[in-house]
């Protein structure tokens, strides 16, 4: 349980740093300070946990019809909702929110992939496993 709490805290911190970096690079997005960035990361996490599943459920037909591209619109709407909820975080237009959400999603995926630990190593060795199966088959067919 302790590792789960730490993992959530690290993800919030990483998201806050990425929000600051993206806001610095992307015109049309403003974050006043790092504390605001931390609040944005928290609010985005809560919106993605509580509001996003409802939006996805209600817009499922159009998401299927657009082959999943409407999911990007949902992400942009979540960013705009976060803009309305957090003072000091401003996004100028819908298109800026769309670009911000795409960049944030891709950069989060990249950072999490680079920093994830390799917990499970099953050490699958095809030749040894197939030889074992062959021995079992030979034993079973003797009778």
């Amino acid at each position: 349980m302790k590792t789960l709490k730490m993992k959530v805290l690290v993800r919030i911190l990483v998201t806050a740093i990425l929000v600051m970096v993206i806001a610095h690079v992307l015109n049309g997005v403003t974050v006043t300070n790092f504390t605001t960035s931390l609040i944005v990361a928290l609010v985005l996490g809560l919106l993605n946990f509580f509001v996003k599943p409802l939006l996805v459920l209600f817009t499922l037909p159009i998401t299927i019809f657009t082959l999943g591209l409407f999911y990007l619109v949902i992400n942009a709407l979540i960013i705009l909702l976060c803009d309305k909820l957090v003072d000091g975080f401003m996004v100028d237009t819908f298109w800026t929110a769309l670009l911000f959400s795409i960049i944030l999603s891709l950069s989060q995926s990249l950072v999490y992939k680079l920093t994830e630990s390799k917990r499970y190593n099953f050490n699958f060795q095809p030749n040894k496993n197939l030889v074992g199966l062959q021995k079992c088959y030979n034993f079973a067919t003797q009778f």
Side-chain angles (χ1 to χ4, degrees):
M1 188 61 137
K2 195 172 190 178
T3 59
L4 178 64
K5 290 178 185 177
M6 187 60 107
K7 190 174 185 179
V8 169
L9 288 175
V10 167
R11 284 185 176 245
I12 289 171
L13 185 63
V14 166
T15 302
I17 293 169
L18 289 173
V19 166
M20 285 294 290
V21 169
I22 296 168
H24 182 71
V25 173
L26 187 63
N27 291 333
V29 179
T30 307
V31 180
T32 54
N33 54 30
F34 188 70
T35 306
T36 303
S37 180
L38 279 171
I39 295 169
V40 167
L42 266 170
V43 170
L44 279 177
L46 292 172
L47 288 174
N48 283 333
F49 188 76
F50 292 110
V51 177
K52 193 175 190 176
L54 295 173
L55 287 175
V56 169
L57 182 66
F58 291 140
T59 61
L60 192 59
I62 193 166
T63 303
I64 292 171
F65 182 71
T66 60
L67 302 175
L69 288 177
F70 195 75
Y71 199 69
L72 296 173
V73 173
I74 293 172
N75 283 341
L77 292 174
I78 293 290
I79 297 295
L80 289 173
L81 185 58
C82 186
D83 170 31
K84 299 297 180 201
L85 293 174
V86 178
D87 291 332
F89 176 63
M90 291 154 278
V91 180
D92 289 344
T93 65
F94 170 80
W95 298 108
T96 306
L98 182 70
L99 186 58
F100 180 83
S101 70
I102 291 170
I103 294 170
L104 182 63
S105 296
L106 290 175
S107 58
Q108 281 177 327
S109 296
L110 181 67
V111 168
Y112 296 152
K113 188 66 176 173
L114 291 175
T115 59
E116 78 179 4
S117 64
K118 307 291 183 217
R119 292 180 67 190
Y120 303 108
N121 185 7
F122 292 109
N123 199 12
F124 180 73
Q125 297 173 345
N127 292 338
K128 288 183 179 179
N129 291 344
L130 292 177
V131 169
L133 287 175
Q134 185 66 39
K135 287 180 181 177
C136 289
Y137 175 77
N138 291 340
F139 178 74
T141 55
Q142 285 178 355
F143 302 105

